[in-house]
Amino acid sequence: MANGCEFEFMEYMDEQSIDPNLICSICHKPLKDPVCTSCDHTYGRACITRWLNQNDIGSCPMCLKKPLSINELTQASRPLRNMLDQLRVQCLLCTQTGLQRGNFVDHMNKVCPKSVIQCQAADIKCPWKGPRDELQNHMIACVFEPLRPVLSTLIAENRQLIDQVQKHDNEIKALAQKMYQLQKSKHIPQWNTRLQVNISYATRKNLSDCGKANNRK
Ligand SMILES: [Zn+2]
Ligand SMILES: [Zn+2]
Ligand SMILES: [Zn+2]
Ligand SMILES: [Zn+2]
């Protein structure tokens, strides 16, 4: 889960009673990834970054100190971050209460019965996604997992083929480039004209592409 977006799935418990020192004075919510300014004020990193980007000459929103730049921001102290981590939150997906904010990402990624996860056979292309508490039922019905030996072999072979095609493609391009250079310096002997005629369509196309690219220079 991308950093920060987990906050949309949680709600603070008893938000009114949260220590005002833990509240960001820009968004009026508990601080997220708190940073300190050189004038000793604390904001959520995303909030103060947005604020400073909006103003040509950045200033501190609280004391109006100028100039203030993003480079001057330092991470807030460990005790403050610990206090924020200990704030109690409720999971909006499974409604569990009393979770610590600092553990919420773990709750989402490992425990929450309602957070959306992939099938255990996602690596062999099962497209199923659903709440964690439906995974067990899905695994009974999953048509991909029983075919794991066959599918993983096919997928590995396919990957090899793609690599080979890519390699050959690069070789053709390199050859076409060489051929073009040779033609330009007129080093192709007369007896080689038949060879030229036999160049595949792909190679000829590459040749003309190279030519165009070179003409543009
Ligand atoms: Zn904020
Ligand atoms: Zn300030
Ligand atoms: Zn949950
Ligand atoms: Zn599946």
Side-chain angles (χ1 to χ4, degrees), residues 2-179:
N3 203 13
C5 74
E6 69 277 3
F7 284 101
E8 68 185 272
F9 299 115
M10 59 170 230
E11 205 167 68
Y12 293 97
M13 297 174 65
D14 204 6
E15 198 172 339
Q16 305 307 319
S17 67
I18 292 175
D19 183 341
N21 290 312
L22 302 181
I23 302 294
C24 171
S25 54
I26 296 177
C27 67
H28 307 293
K29 300 287 284 179
L31 291 155
K32 295 170 194 170
D33 189 7
V35 290
C36 295
T37 62
S38 47
C39 47
D40 208 17
H41 288 117
T42 308
Y43 304 97
R45 187 186 295 276
C47 292
I48 187 68
T49 303
R50 207 180 311 121
W51 170 273
L52 291 175
N53 282 336
Q54 277 166 2
N55 300 282
D56 280 346
I57 302 172
S59 62
C60 174
M62 281 213 263
C63 68
L64 304 178
K65 178 201 177 271
K66 279 185 193 181
L68 179 68
S69 86
I70 292 169
N71 303 331
E72 289 171 59
L73 303 174
T74 53
Q75 191 179 43
S77 69
R78 168 55 68 185
L80 179 76
R81 285 184 284 138
N82 284 348
M83 283 167 80
L84 287 161
D85 279 347
Q86 284 161 12
L87 288 176
R88 298 282 150 175
V89 298
Q90 174 174 24
C91 174
L92 293 178
L93 293 176
C94 69
T95 70
Q96 189 182 332
T97 54
L99 295 160
Q100 287 195 2
R101 192 181 92 169
N103 295 336
F104 190 72
V105 175
D106 261 8
H107 168 78
M108 289 291 290
N109 290 344
K110 295 179 189 163
V111 190
C112 181
K114 294 297 174 195
S115 79
V116 172
I117 56 168
Q118 292 185 314
C119 173
Q120 283 164 11
D123 60 324
I124 49 169
K125 311 280 182 195
C126 177
W128 184 88
K129 277 182 187 167
R132 178 175 279 106
D133 62 358
E134 285 174 23
L135 177 66
Q136 216 176 346
N137 276 339
H138 167 73
M139 289 318 291
I140 295 166
C142 179
V143 293
F144 287 77
E145 189 58 39
L147 294 172
R148 176 171 288 280
V150 182
L151 284 175
S152 43
T153 309
L154 285 175
I155 289 168
E157 280 174 6
N158 189 42
R159 207 170 289 142
Q160 272 179 355
L161 285 174
I162 290 171
D163 285 352
Q164 271 174 22
V165 168
Q166 184 63 52
K167 213 178 114 199
H168 290 160
D169 215 44
N170 292 341
E171 281 169 5
I172 289 173
K173 276 183 192 146
L175 283 173
Q177 180 69 32
K178 261 187 211 161
M179 187 78 89

